[in-house]
Amino acid sequence: MRKQILIFMVLLPVVLFCRNYTIFYLDENLLPVSVSLNYEKEDVLNFIFEKLSDPVPGTMSFVPKNLLRAYFFVEKALVIDLRSSALLGIDFQQERYFVHQLLRTIFENFKAIDSVYITVDGKRKDRLVNYVDIRYGFPRQIWSSWPIEGGS
Amino acid sequence: MRAATFFLVICGAFVCFSFDLYVGNKLMYSSADIENTMSWSSFVSFIENYSRMMRLDSPSTGEVGDFQYLVWNGHTVGFAKDSNVFVVDGATTKSKVVPLVDILSAFQLPFIQEQSKIVLPDMMITKIFQTDDIIDITYNGSNALSFAGRQNQIEIISNGFVSIDNQIYQPGQSIRVIPTDKKIDQKIEMPGLIRVILFKETFTTKEVVALKFEQIMQIPENGFLLLYSDGDDRIIIRSYSPDFEGSDWPVYAQNKKIAQQIAAQFNLKLEICPLYNLPIERLCMVVLLSDSSRISQIEDYLKELLQ
């Protein structure tokens, strides 16, 4: 009995302070696979980037490791600064799906954020790598669901 | 017989003196108090709940001795329990309970008063604003509107108890008719704002400019830009951005409508992604095809759609 109480006391803070976060990976058909993970510390965005770059078995991810340089919140917008070296060599498809995976995950977990801005190496740039336009903000309404529909 | 008479008298008294307070269709308060009155504590708790529901500023409350007061919406009401004095914006009346009708009038809240029932709006429209392609409706409370597009007009209809300019519209009543030759394309809802995007079914451009995505050097000035390349059978259109404050929404709406029709016709996926090579505020899309010979069919179908 005493042992059970001890286990309960140890687990109680974990249960109380853990929060659930949803990470979006991709299956072999490039469809989104959501995975729920617990995390109790404060630096949630670093945790999300770390998990996005480390897909669970049976899934894949286009988010590379060591990508996030910095981030900051401005009212209802989130600005994320990425490391260009981590994005080197990604192709057209990977660049788009990287954006979808990242934004879908951010908007799912940060309900108070209305838009996301991306900078690279601390500077505003026209393109993320070669194709995706990052001059303007990305709105919640588009990425609050998966932005690809239809087809077979 | 005597028991039945007694029962009827009691029921009659309840009907005469009972009082229900609704917000829209939601019953918020019901009591057998004297008609349209409530106790001070019930009143304070109702105003706190109502301001929360309607996303209005919260009231401030306080007390000095036996005098309790509430300040809300620029008005003060107070109640001295021991002397049964009730104060509304400095004017005093002798009362044991809160005379709700007087208070609601003082707070400038619109309401409907029926026999033993008061109904407050569950949506308060603060402004209806129309530009060429957008109707913006700002409001407090919950969205209780529907829109009906008819020939050369769009009608805004109440689905709840909706107030505007101090008038309350009940379910099914027409709130406003907006004359326009455009149709509703999208309705975007944010807390406190409904944005209706309008579009003209006749497209401004009928010409299609088809170009290979990789070979694009300079974008032609006119025409619907149809970029194509090898790929996995999908159409990509540009998303809108908060930076343009809605000015890119009409083009996005038209692009999406056309892309959905092409995607359905040719069994393609539809992807929304801001590709740099897709010009902003211009009818354009990228089509990625596993069989590149299909582009001519898509181009013909697009020309048909633009007609």
Side-chain angles (χ1 to χ4, degrees):
Chain A
M1 182 64 184
R2 201 178 277 178
K3 195 177 170 188
Q4 282 172 328
I5 291 171
L6 194 67
I7 292 168
F8 176 75
M9 295 296 281
V10 168
L11 287 178
L12 187 64
V14 178
V15 174
L16 283 179
F17 297 111
C18 270
R19 285 192 56 201
N20 255 323
Y21 295 96
T22 305
I23 311 290
F24 285 88
Y25 300 111
L26 301 166
D27 69 8
E28 56 190 8
N29 299 313
L30 297 178
L31 292 170
V33 177
S34 67
V35 174
S36 200
L37 297 169
N38 283 324
Y39 186 65
E40 71 271 24
K41 292 180 188 164
E42 280 182 7
D43 194 3
V44 176
L45 205 69
N46 267 314
F47 167 75
I48 283 174
F49 269 81
E50 192 189 310
K51 289 297 165 192
L52 274 170
S53 66
D54 186 17
V56 296
T59 67
M60 58 178 172
S61 172
F62 291 130
V63 180
K65 288 189 184 298
N66 298 318
L67 179 65
L68 184 65
R69 278 184 84 237
Y71 65 90
F72 50 95
F73 293 90
V74 184
E75 294 176 352
K76 289 189 160 190
L78 169 65
V79 183
I80 49 176
D81 187 35
L82 307 179
R83 202 168 270 118
S84 63
S85 57
L87 290 165
L88 280 177
I90 67 171
D91 64 20
F92 182 34
Q93 187 179 61
Q94 289 169 338
E95 188 173 338
R96 289 176 358 244
Y97 273 85
F98 158 75
V99 168
H100 297 325
Q101 245 190 295
L102 180 62
L103 295 177
R104 182 72 192 93
T105 303
I106 286 174
F107 285 120
E108 182 67 25
N109 292 294
F110 295 91
K111 300 288 183 199
I113 294 296
D114 282 344
S115 55
V116 170
Y117 289 80
I118 298 175
T119 57
V120 178
D121 298 332
K123 291 174 196 147
R124 292 200 78 163
K125 279 186 68 181
D126 289 352
R127 303 172 202 229
L128 178 64
V129 183
N130 289 311
Y131 299 98
V132 177
D133 191 341
I134 56 167
R135 289 173 294 173
Y136 312 105
F138 295 83
R140 159 176 289 281
Q141 287 90 343
I142 301 287
W143 282 273
S144 56
S145 57
W146 192 244
I148 302 165
E149 62 184 37
S152 53
Chain B
M1 183 63 188
R2 247 187 223 171
T5 313
F6 179 73
F7 179 73
L8 283 173
V9 169
I10 293 294
C11 285
F14 261 101
V15 170
C16 286
F17 297 118
S18 69
F19 154 60
D20 294 333
L21 179 58
Y22 285 82
V23 173
N25 286 315
K26 204 172 175 184
L27 179 64
M28 300 294 287
Y29 178 80
S30 181
S31 86
D33 290 347
I34 303 168
E35 216 172 276
N36 300 338
T37 62
M38 62 205 298
S39 70
W40 174 260
S41 60
S42 303
F43 165 73
V44 170
S45 126
F46 168 73
I47 292 293
E48 283 170 347
N49 285 336
Y50 188 61
S51 61
R52 207 173 303 128
M53 275 174 80
M54 302 300 287
R55 291 197 302 267
L56 296 165
D57 291 340
S58 303
S60 345
T61 54
E63 51 186 87
V64 183
D66 77 320
F67 183 75
Q68 296 168 298
Y69 64 88
L70 178 145
V71 182
W72 191 52
N73 214 13
H75 301 273
T76 309
V77 291
F79 177 58
K81 200 178 170 185
D82 292 347
S83 48
N84 289 332
V85 168
F86 202 83
V87 183
V88 184
D89 283 338
T92 55
T93 44
K94 201 89 171 157
S95 176
K96 282 185 183 176
V97 285
V98 178
L100 199 61
V101 171
D102 296 349
I103 303 297
L104 295 178
S105 306
F107 283 145
Q108 293 169 324
L109 282 176
F111 60 91
I112 295 172
Q113 189 178 2
E114 289 170 4
Q115 255 188 340
S116 55
K117 183 176 170 186
I118 286 181
V119 185
L120 288 165
D122 48 3
M123 179 184 198
M124 288 179 189
I125 295 177
T126 47
K127 198 176 178 188
I128 298 178
F129 178 73
Q130 188 197 356
T131 60
D132 244 16
D133 299 310
I134 288 168
I135 302 171
D136 272 351
I137 299 169
T138 51
Y139 67 95
N140 292 110
S142 51
N143 177 6
L145 295 182
S146 62
F147 298 84
R150 303 191 207 292
Q151 203 176 11
N152 291 328
Q153 64 183 46
I154 288 167
E155 190 177 8
I156 305 173
I157 300 161
S158 166
N159 283 338
F161 287 79
V162 180
S163 76
I164 179 168
D165 299 332
N166 269 327
Q167 191 178 342
I168 295 183
Y169 294 84
Q170 298 193 32
Q173 284 188 311
S174 174
I175 295 173
R176 193 156 295 183
V177 173
I178 297 173
T180 176
D181 59 346
K182 293 177 180 171
K183 297 198 168 181
I184 296 173
D185 187 81
Q186 266 197 68
K187 211 172 68 179
I188 295 174
E189 292 172 31
M190 289 172 255
L193 173 70
I194 303 165
R195 180 162 282 181
V196 181
I197 300 169
L198 309 174
F199 81 105
K200 239 185 174 170
E201 268 202 318
T202 49
F203 297 106
T204 47
T205 180
K206 290 183 172 56
E207 187 194 346
V208 176
V209 181
L211 290 171
K212 194 99 171 100
F213 184 58
E214 293 83 5
Q215 289 166 358
I216 186 166
M217 301 295 284
Q218 201 174 1
I219 295 168
E221 268 184 30
N222 299 313
F224 191 116
L225 192 60
L226 177 67
L227 303 175
Y228 62 94
S229 185
D230 297 334
D232 57 351
D233 294 324
R234 70 178 64 210
I235 299 175
I236 305 171
I237 59 165
R238 179 181 268 281
S239 54
Y240 56 84
S241 169
D243 299 58
F244 299 106
E245 296 175 336
S247 69
D248 56 344
W249 286 5
V251 168
Y252 167 75
Q254 287 191 30
N255 258 332
K256 192 172 177 194
K257 190 182 171 75
I258 295 169
Q260 277 172 329
Q261 284 172 290
I262 297 173
Q265 179 75 13
F266 294 93
N267 192 27
L268 306 173
K269 289 190 180 73
L270 172 57
E271 178 176 346
I272 300 167
C273 188
L275 298 182
Y276 188 83
N277 282 343
L278 289 173
I280 297 156
E281 297 191 42
R282 165 105 184 251
L283 289 175
C284 58
M285 59 183 61
V286 178
V287 182
L288 304 179
L289 295 169
S290 54
D291 173 6
S292 59
S293 67
R294 292 171 82 199
I295 191 63
S296 58
Q297 295 167 33
I298 292 174
E299 193 179 343
D300 290 343
Y301 184 68
L302 177 58
K303 281 176 186 165
E304 257 177 56
L305 288 177
L306 296 177
Q307 293 306 313

